[in-house]
């Protein structure tokens, strides 16, 4: 479980941050404190409506490691941050590519499985037709 007292919510609008934080039972901080909290955080979630990256290499100059989740569209973590050693960034574009890749793999597996399904379906149909034939033979008065 996550200790909510260790979660910090930062928003560009301090009153909005305070409101949301109080509803979630977490602490809020001012946007000006973002660089300090980035240095101290192991995991950072970014979800803003900003058209430009909020998290840049300048803000992470002293940071050696960290995991970032970017839930923003467009991405709010700069491409340079994604290249830093020790920093892992998961973003919606990457998750979308991963999901699409897996969909492609599942489609390939499905196409490979269809002939196998057809083979067993043919065997089942043959068995079922024979069963019906023998059942009808038992019911026919001249064959009993």
């Amino acid at each position: 479980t996550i200790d909510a007292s260790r979660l910090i919510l930062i928003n560009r609008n301090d009153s909005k941050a305070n409101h949301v934080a109080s509803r979630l039972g977490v602490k809020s901080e001012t946007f000006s404190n973002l660089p300090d909290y980035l240095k101290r955080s192991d995991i950072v979630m970014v979800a803003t409506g900003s058209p430009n990256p909020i998290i840049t290499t300048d803000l992470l100059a002293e940071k050696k490691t960290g995991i970032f989740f970017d839930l923003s569209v467009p991405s709010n973590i700069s491409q340079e941050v994604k290249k830093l050693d020790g920093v892992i960034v998961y973003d919606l574009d990457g998750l979308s590519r991963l999901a699409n890749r897996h969909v492609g793999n599942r489609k390939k597996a499905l196409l490979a499985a269809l002939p196998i399904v057809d083979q067993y379906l043919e065997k089942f149909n043959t068995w079922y037709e024979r069963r019906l034939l023998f059942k009808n033979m038992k019911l026919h008065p001249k064959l009993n």
Side-chain angles (χ1 to χ4, degrees), residues 1 11 32 36 47 49 59 86 90 94 109 123:
T1 61
N11 191 298
S32 62
D36 183 48
L59 289 176
Y90 297 102
K123 286 181 178 182

Side-chain angles (χ1 to χ4, degrees), residues 3-116:
D3 180 3
S5 68
R6 298 188 63 205
L7 298 177
I8 309 294
L9 189 134
I10 298 177
N11 191 298
R12 289 173 290 180
N13 179 317
D14 291 341
S15 64
K16 192 175 192 178
N18 290 334
H19 175 71
V20 173
S22 67
R23 288 182 59 210
L24 297 174
V26 299
K27 185 179 173 187
S28 68
E29 279 295 334
T30 62
F31 191 73
S32 62
N33 288 332
L34 178 63
D36 183 48
Y37 279 96
L38 285 174
K39 291 176 196 169
R40 302 183 329 186
S41 300
D42 296 320
I43 300 172
V44 176
M45 295 185 79
V46 181
T48 76
S50 174
N52 300 311
I54 299 290
I55 310 297
T56 63
T57 53
D58 294 339
L59 289 176
L60 301 176
E62 298 175 28
K63 187 146 187 73
K64 300 297 181 214
T65 61
I67 299 173
F68 291 81
F69 294 92
D70 188 357
L71 307 177
S72 310
V73 176
S75 180
N76 282 175
I77 297 177
S78 73
Q79 292 299 316
E80 290 77 27
V81 168
K82 297 175 183 180
K83 297 173 186 173
L84 294 174
D85 288 334
V87 173
I88 300 169
V89 177
Y90 297 102
D91 61 18
L92 293 180
D93 291 336
L95 293 174
S96 178
R97 282 190 302 275
L98 181 64
N100 288 339
R101 188 172 345 140
H102 288 296
V103 166
N105 290 343
R106 287 194 299 268
K107 284 181 181 177
K108 287 178 187 175
L110 175 64
L111 291 174
L114 285 176
I116 298 168

Side-chain angles (χ1 to χ4, degrees), residues 125-140 143:
N125 285 334
T126 301
W127 170 83
Y128 186 70
E129 288 170 5
R130 286 181 183 162
R131 187 171 188 275
L132 285 177
L133 177 65
F134 289 122
K135 183 178 179 183
N136 288 333
M137 288 172 64
K138 284 182 181 180
L139 295 175
H140 195 281
L143 297 175

